[in-house]
Amino acid sequence: MLPTPLLSIKDLEISFKREKEFIPVVKTISYDVFPNEIVGIVGESGSGKSVSSLAVMGLLPEGISKISKGSITFQGQDIATLSNVAFRKIRGAKISMIFQEPMSSLNPSLKCGEQVLEILQEHTSLNNAQAKAEVLELFQKVKLPLPEKIYNSYPHEISGGQKQRVMIAMAIACKPQLLIADEPTTALDVTVQKEIILLLKELQKETQMSILFITHDLSLISEIANRVLVMYKGEIVEQGATQQVFHHPEHIYTQALIASRPSLEVRLKRLPTIQDFLDKKVSAQEVTPEQRKVFHEKLYNTQPLLEVINVEKEYFSSVGFLGKKISFKAVNQVSFKLYEGETLGLVGESGCGKSTLGNAILQLDKATAGKILFRGVDITKISKDEIRKLRKEIQIIFQDPYSSLNPKLTVGEAILEPMQVHGLYANYTERKAKVIAILERVGLTAEHFSRYPHEFSGGQRQRIGIARTIALQPKLIVCDESVSALDISVQAQVLNLLNELKEDFGFTYIFISHDLAVVKYMSDQVLVMNKGKVEEINDADELYAHPKAEYTKKLIDSIPK
């Protein structure tokens, strides 16, 4: 006989206001969370997983949303009908939440310790000295280094992983019975992600609280959850024990989610997408080691397109009253060769220097030492006019296409603008025709030319960013975390597109990412960076199968299996 559920959701329907009527976005979902259990909710953006968790917290936006049907029962009480004042006694004390982005969830004007202290003062009878001692104990519990220092630090003064630990300390401060973790590791490095997962499991075991863990990554769910619910278009399409759902998925959407993730064991020519599964057109064509060997022999018998020789990037900061200068080498003696038509994966934890190196190659931030040869010419010594011409040859696809597109320009004009700057094609009519052809090539349509960036989804905006990059027909493209913010299935579509464009136009990529499974899938060679230096560089398959450096082994061991 099953125990009484801690949380029971029955036939829950949540509607949002569109013009004058309310439209259901979460459609009659039902599930239970039992005491001392971790339940995973997996699904893509727009599936309703975060909205339903906000309803449990009583945080649905007022005026534009409502619970139109069903009940949310917590410890035997229907909390869906509670007033805001009544909910304040539960929120933080009995049900708590860790949000996806700690930087925007923490108050930038308050020290970290004060923010956790505030929660204890709101929900407990501890005096200031007792509350501070409790906060320091919590910081030790979530394994923050130097708790006293973190207590007196502002959010911007600590790392992303440390900020997430502060959020966890805040969430567990009042010993809640239910903790909702909404994408708590999405923006984190693979090693920090593993640390956070282990920490949550440890805290759950110690406190016996229940956790509702929300993510779009099924492999991450397999590391932490006892049971899993799969959401798609506002409905729960499958639920059951994690290993059962993971190894024997019944619903076609669950099967597609699992298959869309690049495998560490098998290298496919093309990743299957959700649409492939829905259309029943899944083909798993493998790239054999022999095919890779033939391609690489041909590739590496040519002259390098790019040669990086002992490149360094040093920064200086002033400390103390007299402003004594302290130097820091973000990139330290980095060397490698990149060949035309190759994809070089660049991996390492945040702060290892990979984006700084990318910026130095793009001449967005000058190297302080070393040479960068592009087609045999040292581009660290060329004039500003020559750098302008070089921009056509070396381009970048940004992590966040929305912030890199001008919101006042239509996407067509945004793609056309660099063509005009570099004098490509005879006139506006020719350029517009070319832009429409590029939009169609990246899976958009001619009518999208006149739309603005805010009218597109995240996946579509990334396609627009790619279209803008390839408009100049560059030789080298730096992809800086260009798929890290995308859902698994959209990510598969964009990775397939990048590979197709590479085949069609002969592009060369430097692929920077903290997602090691994606890097392995995309790369011919992988370069591992740590603290500004090269730890290891090797063929992607060989490096993952037989890593030589301890740091590389640690990175690979941290990948959710």
Side-chain angles (χ1 to χ4, degrees):
M1 188 176 165
L2 286 171
T4 305
L6 176 71
L7 176 75
S8 188
I9 289 179
K10 290 279 179 280
D11 301 324
L12 182 67
E13 184 179 276
I14 302 168
S15 302
F16 273 72
K17 200 172 189 177
R18 301 268 166 85
E19 293 172 359
K20 291 181 181 177
E21 60 177 334
F22 279 88
I23 309 290
V25 294
V26 172
K27 303 158 190 174
T28 57
I29 64 167
S30 298
Y31 67 88
D32 294 324
V33 178
F34 293 97
N36 192 22
E37 157 177 75
I38 302 176
V39 175
I41 302 184
V42 70
E44 296 176 285
S45 299
S47 64
K49 59 189 191 301
S50 291
V51 169
S52 54
S53 69
L54 287 174
V56 174
M57 287 290 290
L59 291 174
L60 285 174
E62 287 182 30
I64 60 162
S65 65
K66 66 176 183 179
I67 293 171
S68 37
K69 237 176 30 182
S71 63
I72 303 170
T73 307
F74 178 74
Q75 292 184 324
Q77 180 185 17
D78 187 356
I79 57 174
T81 56
L82 289 182
S83 67
N84 225 337
V85 175
F87 223 118
R88 283 189 67 174
K89 292 176 183 173
I90 295 173
R91 193 188 301 125
K94 293 184 177 181
I95 307 175
S96 202
M97 192 164 188
I98 308 165
F99 293 96
Q100 180 173 354
E101 183 39 76
M103 194 63 208
S104 55
S105 305
L106 291 169
N107 187 334
S109 61
L110 278 181
K111 289 175 181 174
C112 294
E114 291 169 358
Q115 299 191 48
V116 184
L117 191 79
E118 201 173 42
I119 300 284
L120 291 167
Q121 288 171 332
E122 174 76 22
H123 293 288
T124 70
S125 55
L126 297 174
N127 63 36
N128 278 355
Q130 289 169 329
K132 182 178 177 179
E134 182 70 19
V135 173
L136 292 172
E137 200 176 307
L138 281 165
F139 281 0
Q140 279 183 327
K141 193 175 272 190
V142 298
K143 298 185 169 67
L144 275 166
L146 306 169
E148 191 78 49
K149 185 176 184 291
I150 302 280
Y151 186 98
N152 292 302
S153 298
Y154 289 96
H156 71 273
E157 295 177 306
I158 60 177
S159 72
Q162 288 172 342
K163 281 195 273 278
Q164 198 58 287
R165 286 168 191 270
V166 171
M167 283 291 297
I168 293 168
M170 197 182 292
I172 66 166
C174 296
K175 302 177 177 63
Q177 282 84 37
L178 177 64
L179 176 66
I180 300 171
D182 189 3
E183 300 271 15
T185 62
T186 300
L188 302 176
D189 294 321
V190 66
T191 48
V192 181
Q193 175 179 281
K194 183 154 190 171
E195 286 169 11
I196 296 294
I197 292 293
L198 290 172
L199 173 64
L200 286 172
K201 283 170 81 170
E202 209 175 284
L203 290 170
Q204 190 276 330
K205 197 174 178 183
E206 185 189 324
T207 62
Q208 299 201 333
M209 65 181 168
S210 297
I211 298 178
L212 198 56
F213 192 94
I214 300 163
T215 182
H216 64 258
D217 190 342
L218 253 180
S219 52
L220 197 60
I221 282 287
S222 72
E223 298 255 303
I224 189 167
N226 309 114
R227 286 190 300 119
V228 63
L229 323 169
V230 182
M231 288 193 74
Y232 180 53
K233 293 185 176 176
E235 297 176 0
I236 294 173
V237 295
E238 187 162 356
Q239 60 178 302
T242 304
Q243 294 308 311
Q244 176 65 28
V245 171
F246 202 78
H247 294 293
H248 307 286
E250 291 176 9
H251 196 276
I252 196 162
Y253 176 72
T254 315
Q255 293 166 10
L257 264 189
I258 293 166
S260 299
R261 177 91 176 138
S263 165
L264 290 172
E265 284 75 44
V266 180
R267 183 180 285 276
L268 297 179
K269 186 169 174 60
R270 184 182 174 279
L271 291 170
T273 65
I274 283 168
Q275 201 55 50
D276 292 337
F277 274 82
L278 295 176
D279 296 342
K280 297 184 176 165
K281 291 181 180 173
V282 180
S283 70
Q285 190 183 342
E286 285 185 38
V287 178
T288 65
E290 289 73 27
Q291 288 170 323
R292 268 174 70 79
K293 189 181 175 187
V294 169
F295 173 68
H296 286 163
E297 279 175 1
K298 186 181 171 186
L299 187 74
Y300 299 129
N301 275 328
T302 59
Q303 286 297 310
L305 175 70
L306 180 81
E307 199 169 349
V308 172
I309 305 165
N310 298 329
V311 163
E312 294 186 359
K313 179 62 191 179
E314 193 169 11
Y315 292 102
F316 294 91
S317 61
S318 300
V319 292
F321 179 69
L322 297 171
K324 185 188 173 187
K325 296 258 183 200
I326 288 183
S327 72
F328 165 68
K329 283 188 181 177
V331 175
N332 191 356
Q333 292 280 308
V334 170
S335 299
F336 65 88
K337 292 176 183 177
L338 180 67
Y339 295 81
E340 197 163 336
E342 181 184 16
T343 299
L344 174 74
L346 194 50
V347 300
E349 295 170 289
S350 294
C352 72
K354 55 188 188 292
S355 289
T356 306
L357 177 61
N359 288 339
I361 291 165
L362 287 154
Q363 294 298 291
L364 295 173
D365 199 0
K366 288 278 188 185
T368 42
K371 294 179 181 178
I372 301 172
L373 306 179
F374 181 73
R375 290 179 162 168
V377 176
D378 187 353
I379 59 175
T380 63
K381 293 180 178 168
I382 60 177
S383 66
K384 283 185 179 178
D385 282 347
E386 287 170 313
I387 286 174
R388 270 175 73 89
K389 289 174 189 168
L390 184 73
R391 295 268 178 263
K392 180 182 171 297
E393 297 286 310
I394 307 177
Q395 283 282 305
I396 184 168
I397 302 169
F398 293 99
Q399 178 174 356
D400 181 1
Y402 191 58
S403 61
S404 59
L405 290 166
N406 186 335
K408 294 179 181 177
L409 285 183
T410 66
V411 300
E413 296 295 336
I415 297 165
L416 192 141
E417 186 183 48
M419 291 180 174
Q420 197 169 348
V421 167
H422 289 279
L424 296 181
Y425 312 107
N427 51 45
Y428 179 86
T429 308
E430 269 191 39
R431 288 181 196 120
K432 183 175 179 180
K434 190 68 184 171
V435 169
I436 288 168
I438 290 169
L439 283 171
E440 287 171 346
R441 181 64 194 81
V442 299
L444 298 167
T445 65
E447 65 153 324
H448 290 137
F449 184 97
S450 306
R451 291 199 197 168
Y452 289 89
H454 72 269
E455 297 178 82
F456 294 90
S457 70
Q460 286 175 319
R461 282 200 285 262
Q462 196 57 282
R463 288 170 186 273
I464 293 160
I466 292 168
R468 193 169 193 263
T469 297
I470 68 170
L472 296 177
Q473 296 167 5
K475 277 291 166 198
L476 172 60
I477 298 173
V478 177
C479 306
D480 192 359
E481 298 281 9
S482 51
V483 296
S484 62
L486 303 177
D487 288 322
I488 297 283
S489 67
V490 179
Q491 178 180 278
Q493 292 169 27
V494 172
L495 294 175
N496 288 339
L497 173 63
L498 287 171
N499 278 334
E500 286 165 23
L501 293 170
K502 180 183 169 183
E503 254 179 53
D504 293 353
F505 299 104
F507 292 144
T508 304
Y509 295 136
I510 294 177
F511 196 90
I512 301 170
S513 180
H514 67 258
D515 188 328
L516 285 101
V518 167
V519 170
K520 180 181 186 289
Y521 170 71
M522 289 296 288
S523 305
D524 296 296
Q525 283 200 101
V526 172
L527 188 154
V528 181
M529 285 188 73
N530 180 24
K531 295 177 183 173
K533 292 186 174 182
V534 176
E535 279 281 341
E536 190 168 349
I537 183 166
N538 205 345
D539 172 83
D541 289 357
E542 180 61 25
L543 183 134
Y544 278 68
H546 307 289
K548 290 172 186 167
E550 282 304 316
Y551 179 75
T552 311
K553 288 175 188 171
K554 179 184 150 195
L555 284 182
I556 292 167
D557 287 344
S558 300
I559 303 170
K561 303 296 187 290

